[in-house]
Amino acid sequence: GDDTRFNIKLNESGCISYFAKKAVVYWRMRNNLKSFVKQFFKYGKGDVYHGNIFKMKRILYSFILLNSFITFLLLSLILKKMTITIMSLSLIFGFLIFYGIYFCFKTKKISAIFWIPTLFLIKNISYFFGLWKGLVEAVLINIKSKLKFKYLV
């Protein structure tokens, strides 16, 4: 949240970003899966809190696309259109397998076939739920502030 907001502010103030091919970024790796999930959940929540979800179109578009896809899957399950459900899930599974194979060749580690898609899913699902929690909290805070104002006047 904060890093993205800082970058947006720099761009809005006219600063120009350059790609530094040899730059090295250090950040603390998480010790376990629980802290990894928590980290990306907080990133999602922070992106709502700082308004990044609306300033960075990539975040907003992927959020809308994922919600649409989940709605589509749920409707196909409810309407018992199993062919559509199986095809949709096959596309996701195929993408994840391709993603794992790509990183297997890139890193030359066979374990990448399993771990990269798994961490990709966990990261994105955690971030997605963080976005939703942030949005719900923002709406609730907005409603509470309007109610307080209404009763103070």
Side-chain angles (χ1 to χ4, degrees):
D2 292 332
D3 294 344
T4 308
R5 182 149 177 87
F6 178 70
N7 188 39
I8 290 170
K9 291 259 186 206
L10 285 175
N11 288 335
E12 286 174 349
S13 68
C15 292
I16 300 171
S17 299
Y18 293 97
F19 179 71
K21 213 175 202 178
K22 295 183 180 181
V24 177
V25 176
Y26 295 99
W27 59 279
R28 183 175 56 91
M29 293 295 292
R30 301 306 182 236
N31 296 333
N32 55 45
L33 198 54
K34 182 180 177 181
S35 56
F36 179 77
V37 167
K38 194 174 180 180
Q39 173 188 5
F40 283 95
F41 181 84
K42 286 182 176 182
Y43 284 169
K45 195 173 163 187
D47 277 343
V48 172
Y49 177 77
H50 291 295
N52 300 340
I53 187 172
F54 303 110
K55 291 183 180 178
M56 293 187 65
K57 300 297 182 211
R58 177 184 54 83
I59 296 173
L60 185 60
Y61 294 153
S62 60
F63 183 68
I64 291 169
L65 182 68
L66 186 58
N67 279 294
S68 301
F69 185 74
I70 290 170
T71 304
F72 175 75
L73 269 179
L74 289 174
L75 282 173
S76 66
L77 282 170
I78 291 167
L79 299 173
K80 298 182 181 169
K81 304 286 185 189
M82 293 310 282
T83 308
I84 296 171
T85 306
I86 291 169
M87 285 174 49
S88 301
L89 292 174
S90 297
L91 281 172
I92 293 171
F93 188 69
F95 167 76
L96 292 172
I97 288 174
F98 174 77
Y99 198 60
I101 291 170
Y102 168 77
F103 273 96
C104 180
F105 282 109
K106 188 174 178 178
T107 62
K108 295 179 177 51
K109 293 183 180 180
I110 193 72
S111 62
I113 289 176
F114 172 75
W115 284 112
I116 296 297
T118 302
L119 292 174
F120 174 82
L121 272 177
I122 291 169
K123 177 188 96 164
N124 286 295
I125 289 169
S126 303
Y127 182 80
F128 177 76
F129 280 112
L131 284 174
W132 264 111
K133 181 156 175 45
L135 285 169
V136 168
E137 286 178 358
V139 167
L140 291 176
I141 289 170
N142 192 19
I143 290 170
K144 283 181 185 178
S145 66
K146 284 182 180 179
L147 287 174
K148 281 182 186 177
F149 181 75
K150 184 178 178 181
Y151 291 111
L152 289 174
V153 175

